[in-house]
Amino acid sequence: AQTVTQSQPEMSVQEAETVTLSCTYDTSESNYYLFWYKQPPSRQMILVIRQEAYKQQNATENRFSVNFQKAAKSFSLKISDSQLGDTAMYFCAFMNPSANSKLTFGKGITLSVRP
Amino acid sequence: DAGVTQSPTHLIKTRGQQVTLRCSPKSGHDTVSWYQQALGQGPQFIFQYYEEEERQRGNFPDRFSGHQFPNYSSELNVNALLLGDSALYLCASSLGTGDNEQFFGPGTRLTVL
């Protein structure tokens, strides 16, 4: 079974600064996908970024980028130029595509962006 | 294009009752997955429906059951409600069962008293 661990329950960052959210996972699979999801107070879970395990290049989406370390089973999210709208819960998630796209989530981290 | 919709938004039930939650997938999607998110926790996978059949199930008791209709909408039923069933129930839809992105609905907040 796969597990996803987010050990930081809360983080705070000043607007326009950079923050990194940590995630580690455990799996015996070689082919998988990793995700970061954002859940604002509105509760709608929104995909932030996705990484395929077979790709060595780290994924980037505008101000969001990941540091994927496959050997260390680490998958951190970097948010640059933080904005007030980034305030939300962030979840790291794992998916084995051969397991019918079931997502395994971490406990999440609450990120607060201070003005 | 409407995204994933869920109803109702909020629901209050008492222990022992039964509840039905509904989900309409994003247009063009044929797969629906259900997740339970307890307060302050990450979502936990309940089950997934594809072609009107349950394809995969998480570690939830038989009190949790579901259904998918020919138009791909889905229902989640929970019988004999327990206090511990209080949670946000999320529905996610996708196209097929591979690595396609899952789109989430806003959830139904269930409170069991």
Side-chain angles (χ1 to χ4, degrees), chain A residues 12-50:
Chain A
S12 180
V13 64
Q14 194 76 31
E15 193 176 9
E17 301 275 301
T18 295
V19 63
T20 298
L21 311 182
S22 302
C23 172
T24 58
Y25 61 94
D26 190 24
T27 184
S28 58
E29 302 291 334
S30 57
N31 182 32
Y32 52 87
Y33 295 82
L34 295 164
F35 305 85
W36 278 98
Y37 281 88
K38 170 185 177 181
Q39 188 177 40
S42 67
R43 308 182 324 203
Q44 190 97 31
M45 194 78 76
I46 302 163
L47 178 64
V48 174
I49 199 164
R50 151 188 171 139

Side-chain angles (χ1 to χ4, degrees), chain A residues 1-4 25-35 37 50-54 70 92-105, chain B residues 31 33 35 45 48 55-56 94 96-102:
Chain A
Q2 292 81 25
T3 59
V4 177
Y25 61 94
D26 190 24
T27 184
S28 58
E29 302 291 334
S30 57
N31 182 32
Y32 52 87
Y33 295 82
L34 295 164
F35 305 85
Y37 281 88
R50 151 188 171 139
Q51 174 80 42
E52 291 88 349
Y54 62 86
K70 191 172 184 179
C92 178
F94 173 101
M95 186 184 80
N96 176 359
S98 64
N100 294 327
S101 63
K102 161 192 167 184
L103 288 166
T104 301
F105 286 87
Chain B
T31 302
S33 301
Y35 295 83
F45 176 77
Q48 182 186 84
R55 289 280 295 231
Q56 190 176 8
S94 59
T97 58
D99 60 354
N100 294 310
E101 180 180 347
Q102 294 189 33

